[in-house]
């Protein structure tokens, strides 16, 4: 670190896409434009945990940063399976954690990738770590007079202005956040049928009024101009033992490692941000006034080359790719909901699972018929499987935290 740079900022990407270099280039230009690159007090350190199998990529797709861009950041750490294996061997050798405990933290899935970034950031004595996604861009879009109006967002500097007094800050998201396409209800599936289905599998933060409004917008969430013009961060209130955060556009204060929790998701599920949300009772969480544009259907890669569309496409349930994406999101939701309810509402767990099962039995045949996708019926089997294993997953969730605490004590 250069002399005088006394704030060490980590920028973490858990990625598996070939478009990563384009996204990184956009962000580096953004940090330059917001004055962070030239700020003599701030050191910018990149942490990239990459997955070569997700899109059949090679290591150079992540490591081959253009020299002109590389010189604008202070350090780059690339985390592949060999690096993780080395760290696990070190942690075992030093009797910090066992191989079984290491598998909980650094094993498979998205949570493991995030944990590896957290680990390397702490090892490198990073003060604040921001997570960014490789399909989110530092832009906000509003719908003004039926036209898409775009504005740049200083995502990192907004977090840095607020994180010092908080444990976690997270921003807002616009664009294609929801995997639910625009639907026209009919005799095969009514609005009430679909509402029953979504409410059965989704979590408490997904509100039907919000969903229907996004669906009517063709799957697009527009930025709120009130937030765009505000400088105020808002403290996140606790709801059912949870302070909801997002997985990216998310900044974690690492100054006291003992206040940092790991990510966790049940095997084959997502929701690692939601499970972290359930650990934050004693933590200060702020929602900060900045947006990222989520390119959830990989439709707007051209935004990274400066092409700003005046209209955003409706996402209709009229092709296999969109239906498959929605189906996979439903599988992800139903796999993590049993554990979420087990953690946050144990007193009504059995009743909630029975209610979910009943609602899915009623609605899934209609969902299959409407989408002409019989695979949706497997959602019921997934619910039963993850319901049966909820207690086991809860034990793993707690064991992950215990193992992480041992590593934090070692760093402290």
């Amino acid at each position: 670190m250069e002399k005088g740079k006394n704030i060490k900022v980590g920028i973490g990407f858990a990625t598996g896409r070939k478009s990563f270099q384009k996204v990184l280039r956009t962000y580096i230009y953004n940090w330059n434009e917001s004055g962070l690159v030239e700020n003599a007090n701030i050191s910018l350190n990149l942490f990239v945990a990459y997955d070569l199998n997700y899109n059949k990529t090679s290591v150079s797709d992540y490591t081959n940063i253009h020299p002109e861009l590389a010189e604008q950041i202070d350090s780059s750490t690339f985390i592949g399976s060999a690096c993780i294996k080395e760290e696990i061997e070190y942690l075992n050798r030093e009797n910090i954690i066992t191989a079984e405990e290491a598998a909980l933290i650094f094993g498979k899935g998205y949570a493991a990738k995030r944990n590896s970034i957290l680990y390397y950031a702490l090892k490198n004595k990073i003060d604040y770590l921001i997570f960014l996604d490789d399909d989110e861009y530092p832009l906000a879009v509003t719908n003004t007079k039926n036209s898409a109006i775009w504005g740049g967002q200083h995502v990192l500097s907004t977090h840095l202005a607020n994180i010092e007094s908080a444990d976690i800050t997270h921003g807002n998201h616009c664009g294609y956040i929801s995997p639910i396409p625009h639907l026209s209800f009919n005799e095969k599936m009514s609005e009430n049928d679909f509402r029953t289905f979504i409410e059965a599998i989704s979590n408490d933060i997904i509100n039907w009024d919000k969903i229907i409004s996004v669906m009517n917008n063709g799957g697009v969430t527009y930025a709120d101009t009130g937030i765009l013009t505000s400088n105020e961060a808002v403290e996140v209130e606790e709801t059912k033992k949870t302070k909801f955060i997002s997985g990216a556009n998310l900044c974690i204060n690492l100054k006291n490692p003992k206040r940092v929790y790991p990510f966790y998701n049940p095997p084959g599920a997502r929701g690692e941000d939601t499970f972290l949300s359930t650990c934050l009772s004693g933590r200060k969480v702020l929602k900060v006034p900045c947006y990222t544009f989520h390119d959830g259907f990989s439709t707007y890669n051209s935004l990274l080359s400066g092409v700003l569309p005046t209209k955003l496409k409706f996402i209709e349930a009229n092709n296999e790719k969109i239906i498959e994406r929605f189906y996979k999101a439903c599988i992800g939701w139903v796999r993590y909901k049993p554990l979420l309810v087990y953690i946050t509402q144990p007193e009504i767990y059995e009743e909630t699972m029975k209610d979910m099962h009943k609602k899915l039995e009623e609605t899934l045949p209609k969902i299959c018929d409407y989408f002409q996708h019989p695979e949706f019926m497997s959602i019921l089997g997934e619910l039963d499987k993850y319901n049966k294993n909820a207690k086991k997953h809860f034990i793993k969730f707690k064991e992950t935290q215990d193992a992480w605490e041992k590593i934090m004590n070692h760093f402290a």
Side-chain angles (χ1 to χ4, degrees):
M1 188 172 69
E2 287 174 33
K3 194 179 175 188
K5 293 200 172 184
N6 57 23
I7 298 172
K8 289 189 80 175
V9 178
I11 299 119
F13 285 93
T15 179
R17 289 186 172 92
K18 263 194 188 301
S19 56
F20 166 72
Q21 291 289 349
K22 268 188 167 183
V23 176
L24 179 63
R25 181 191 65 195
T26 299
Y27 273 106
I28 291 175
Y29 287 157
N30 181 268
W31 304 330
N32 201 329
E33 197 254 341
S34 63
L36 289 171
V37 170
E38 286 181 9
N39 190 325
N41 200 33
I42 291 172
S43 157
L44 300 176
N45 305 274
L46 182 67
F47 295 88
V48 181
Y50 56 81
D51 179 352
L52 301 180
N53 299 319
Y54 179 71
N55 258 351
K56 296 186 174 62
T57 48
S58 62
V59 174
S60 62
D61 289 325
Y62 308 105
T63 59
N64 197 14
I65 300 172
H66 193 283
E68 191 187 303
L69 297 175
E71 70 183 21
Q72 297 186 59
I73 51 180
D74 293 85
S75 75
S76 301
T77 303
F78 299 98
I79 309 161
S81 51
C83 302
I84 289 300
K85 188 167 176 275
E86 218 172 89
E87 287 303 318
I88 290 171
E89 284 168 2
Y90 160 74
L91 293 167
N92 291 168
R93 205 168 51 246
E94 297 294 315
N95 294 318
I96 297 158
I97 56 171
T98 65
E100 290 74 23
E101 289 171 325
L104 288 169
I105 294 167
F106 303 116
K108 292 178 180 172
Y110 215 71
K113 288 275 180 287
R114 290 190 184 277
N115 286 340
S116 66
I117 291 169
L118 258 183
Y119 172 85
Y120 272 91
L122 285 156
K123 189 180 175 183
N124 284 276
K125 296 189 163 39
I126 294 297
D127 296 310
Y128 310 118
L129 172 66
I130 188 167
F131 280 100
L132 299 169
D133 269 355
D134 60 5
D135 60 357
E136 290 196 354
Y137 318 140
L139 290 164
V141 62
T142 58
N143 189 17
T144 309
K145 295 181 181 172
N146 289 325
S147 183
I149 306 293
W150 298 86
Q153 294 288 286
H154 287 161
V155 177
L156 181 51
S157 50
T158 305
H159 283 280
L160 292 178
N162 291 282
I163 188 62
E164 194 180 355
S165 64
D167 292 287
I168 287 181
T169 53
H170 78 114
N172 299 270
H173 302 263
C174 59
Y176 297 94
I177 306 163
S178 170
I180 305 171
H182 176 259
L183 303 175
S184 302
F185 300 110
N186 56 27
E187 67 286 348
K188 284 185 178 179
M189 184 182 73
S190 68
E191 180 177 327
N192 195 49
D193 293 329
F194 192 63
R195 176 179 184 159
T196 303
F197 170 69
I198 291 295
E199 287 180 344
I201 63 172
S202 61
N203 65 38
D204 289 324
I205 205 168
I206 298 175
N207 168 293
W208 177 252
D209 292 336
K210 200 172 172 184
I211 283 173
I212 202 75
S213 136
V214 170
M215 280 170 59
N216 291 340
N217 274 337
V220 185
T221 300
Y222 289 100
D224 180 332
T225 49
I227 293 169
L228 288 173
T229 54
S230 163
N231 287 321
E232 293 297 309
V234 179
E235 187 151 1
V236 175
E237 297 297 324
E238 192 168 323
T239 313
K240 293 178 186 170
K241 302 179 188 172
T242 307
K243 293 186 179 181
F244 281 107
I245 56 170
S246 53
N249 195 353
L250 170 75
C251 192
I252 302 176
N253 189 331
L254 303 184
K255 285 199 163 183
N256 180 355
K258 290 189 174 183
R259 290 182 70 81
V260 179
Y261 282 102
F263 290 94
Y264 174 83
N265 47 246
R270 283 292 300 267
E272 69 286 340
D273 49 348
T274 306
F275 291 112
L276 181 57
S277 299
T278 68
C279 303
L280 302 177
S281 269
R283 302 291 182 266
K284 186 174 180 183
V285 182
L286 296 177
K287 191 156 193 181
V288 296
C290 65
Y291 275 90
T292 49
F293 177 86
H294 183 66
D295 187 14
F297 294 91
S298 303
T299 313
Y300 287 101
N301 212 258
S302 56
L303 282 168
L304 301 174
S305 305
V307 180
L308 302 176
T310 56
K311 286 262 186 290
L312 290 176
K313 294 171 191 167
F314 261 49
I315 301 296
E316 303 271 6
N318 57 5
N319 75 58
E320 191 56 38
K321 193 180 170 189
I322 285 165
I323 294 168
E324 184 65 17
R325 183 178 188 266
F326 174 53
Y327 164 69
K328 283 183 174 168
C330 293
I331 291 285
W333 286 338
V334 87
R335 281 177 175 174
Y336 83 70
K337 186 161 180 182
L339 178 58
L340 181 61
V341 177
Y342 193 92
I343 293 167
T344 59
Q345 296 169 279
E347 67 286 354
I348 58 163
Y349 178 78
E350 295 299 339
E351 185 190 325
T352 306
M353 292 302 109
K354 279 178 191 162
D355 185 54
M356 275 179 77
H357 195 281
K358 181 170 172 285
K359 285 176 174 171
L360 290 177
E361 269 189 330
E362 285 170 11
T363 56
L364 278 172
K366 296 172 183 178
I367 300 285
C368 291
D369 190 28
Y370 181 90
F371 290 105
Q372 291 295 292
H373 202 77
E375 289 85 347
F376 276 97
M377 277 313 292
S378 67
I379 289 171
L380 200 55
E382 293 294 323
L383 171 64
D384 292 342
K385 180 181 165 187
Y386 280 77
N387 171 23
K388 193 173 124 192
N389 287 307
K391 187 176 180 183
K392 187 172 107 181
H393 294 154
F394 179 70
I395 291 165
K396 295 288 179 199
F397 174 59
K398 288 296 184 189
E399 286 175 350
T400 304
Q401 290 173 28
D402 293 342
W404 184 260
E405 192 179 346
K406 292 176 186 178
I407 298 174
M408 293 306 98
N409 288 337
H410 170 66
F411 281 137

